[in-house]
Amino acid sequence: MRSIAIFGAVGVLVAGIALPSFASSGAPVDATATLQQVAFDDAQSLVVASQATAAPLDRGTYTATTPEEIAEKKEKEAAAARAAAAAAASVASTPRNFNPGNYELVSPGSGEVRYPLPQGSYNQGRTIGGGHNGVDMLAPQGTPIYSTAAGVVRASAESIGGYGVAVMIDHVVGGQSVSTTYGHMTYGSRQVQAGQSVGAGQLIGFVGSTGRSTANHLHFEVWYGGSLVEPYSWLAANAG
Ligand SMILES: [Zn+2]
């Protein structure tokens, strides 16, 4: 039932999401954007630690033996799944008004490359591979998100496919063209618009769980000329 519950929650979220809006926003669509658009369907998938550890406990308490008991157990589980799906949809669709004055407008650090979340504010989740094009940086809703380098915002919208509320930024880092994507932000939390220039470490939005996501986290992608880079090692080597 657990997997069905998650599927149900995702279905509710996806049902309310328009098709990628940046494709028709007038923003230039380069090769990188096309790759990212193609990739976003498979880009987001997150296993939540609390859900993973709950599974054995659920099985351990499954003591029903008669058909009636099993039917009752299944009905209770179905009700719990519906409640979880409703709760997830409610959280994801609740607009939040953020006051950026409560947060640093520029992240700490002085390097050309900065961490997209404050150091110490997140745990490392899934990285690239298996159709997942970024890293899942697990952090509480409302954690500030910073542009990882100076650049120009290519896309900024409340719904970009599975990314949900997302921002995409084009940079030049070390003389090379680099594009970054920041997904699953909280509704109403974006601080930048398409076409806007941003500085390294500039506040761009806040962590949420919009789009294809089941828990608060930042989905962060790094592309060099249309090729994926593993963001955790890239940040470790470049950010400061
Ligand atoms: Zn992800």
Side-chain angles (χ1 to χ4, degrees), residues 43-45 132 135-136 184 217 219:
Q44 285 76 39
S45 178
H132 188 245
V135 289
D136 291 337
H184 310 312
H217 73 288
H219 174 89

Side-chain angles (χ1 to χ4, degrees), residues 43-86:
Q44 285 76 39
S45 178
L46 176 72
V47 173
V48 181
S50 60
Q51 292 174 328
T53 55
L57 296 176
D58 288 342
R59 295 193 186 95
T61 57
Y62 194 89
T63 56
T65 51
T66 70
E68 291 75 15
E69 286 173 335
I70 291 172
E72 183 181 355
K73 180 78 172 178
K74 285 184 175 178
E75 175 50 37
K76 285 181 179 177
E77 289 177 344
R82 288 192 296 270

